Amino acid sequence: MDFERLNGDIKDMRRRNRGLALTVGALAGGHVLALIVILNLLGSVRTVVVPPSINKSFWVTRDKASSEYLEQMGSFIAWLVLDVTPASVDWKKDILLGYVEPEQHGELRTRQDLEAARLKRINASTFFMPQQLVPSEDAQTVVVRGRLRTQVNGLETANDLKAYLVEFSYSGGRMHLKTFKEIDHAAK
């Protein structure tokens, strides 16, 4: 046996093992660093979801949406509820019910069915022209103020300033309509 050759081979193998150990250590350190970064990002990531039409940039977190998103959704919901004719009321009602919170679905469906039957019976149309949107990020609400015109058989019967409260809940990555009701025009 050649001991010098054997010692040289052992030193060479130890040198390679040290290099491999440093590589494995660097990879393990990289994994730990990536895990720390991922854990720090978990609670702060904003998910971008798209409203029916995009007019402004917005953000959405786990349980809240920005005021810009609330404005867009509020005006869309107001359009679905208030801007109707006997020909469009059923179609808009079906779209609206897709946004309603599950707990409110039955009550709102009944209310919308009654309103659709009334509009068809008297051949009425309503047209809403929003003038002001007042969002509240904390409450996840929008107050929509504007002019509501009502026509029966093509003749204008009302042209009033109205205000509506649109309340949303955000769950499961989706905005749900919680409440849509008329409020005093002078209210917040």
Side-chain angles (χ1 to χ4, degrees), residues 3-183:
F3 287 111
E4 283 187 35
R5 186 173 155 198
L6 181 62
N7 280 339
D9 288 344
I10 290 174
K11 285 181 184 178
D12 188 42
M13 209 180 311
R14 285 183 181 155
R15 199 174 324 114
R16 276 191 268 160
N17 281 348
R18 266 185 258 129
L20 290 174
L22 288 174
T23 303
V24 167
L27 288 172
H31 278 87
V32 168
L33 180 65
L35 182 62
I36 290 170
V37 168
I38 289 170
L39 289 176
N40 283 335
L41 288 176
L42 277 180
S44 65
V45 173
R46 291 182 174 174
T47 304
V48 177
V49 294
V50 181
S53 66
I54 299 174
N55 302 327
K56 298 178 183 178
S57 61
F58 55 85
W59 56 262
V60 176
T61 60
R62 186 179 333 175
D63 57 351
K64 281 191 173 182
S66 70
S67 58
E68 293 84 5
Y69 186 82
L70 291 170
E71 285 178 7
Q72 292 179 55
M73 285 300 293
S75 64
F76 176 67
I77 296 297
W79 174 74
L80 287 175
V81 175
L82 301 171
D83 213 32
V84 292
T85 65
S88 70
V89 70
D90 289 326
W91 175 75
K92 286 188 174 183
K93 175 188 66 168
D94 291 340
I95 292 174
L96 175 70
L97 291 174
Y99 288 96
V100 175
E101 194 174 54
E103 293 83 25
Q104 305 297 324
H105 193 273
E107 178 185 334
L108 192 63
R109 174 183 277 285
T110 303
R111 189 172 96 189
Q112 289 300 105
D113 285 341
L114 291 172
E115 182 64 15
R118 185 183 73 81
L119 285 176
K120 290 176 184 176
R121 186 180 71 249
I122 64 174
N123 194 28
S125 300
T126 60
F127 306 97
F128 185 71
M129 293 159 283
Q131 296 172 340
Q132 183 183 29
L133 298 164
V134 183
S136 169
E137 282 182 25
D138 295 330
Q140 294 291 284
T141 62
V142 181
V143 175
V144 182
R145 289 187 178 92
R147 190 162 290 282
L148 182 67
R149 291 179 54 213
T150 305
Q151 292 183 345
V152 177
N153 290 322
L155 298 173
E156 188 169 310
T157 58
N159 190 349
D160 302 320
L161 288 174
K162 300 276 187 173
Y164 298 91
L165 175 68
V166 185
E167 187 177 4
F168 295 102
S169 65
Y170 187 78
S171 65
R174 186 152 187 233
M175 185 68 76
H176 295 280
L177 175 63
K178 195 173 183 179
T179 307
F180 184 91
K181 63 182 176 182
E182 185 175 352
I183 59 173

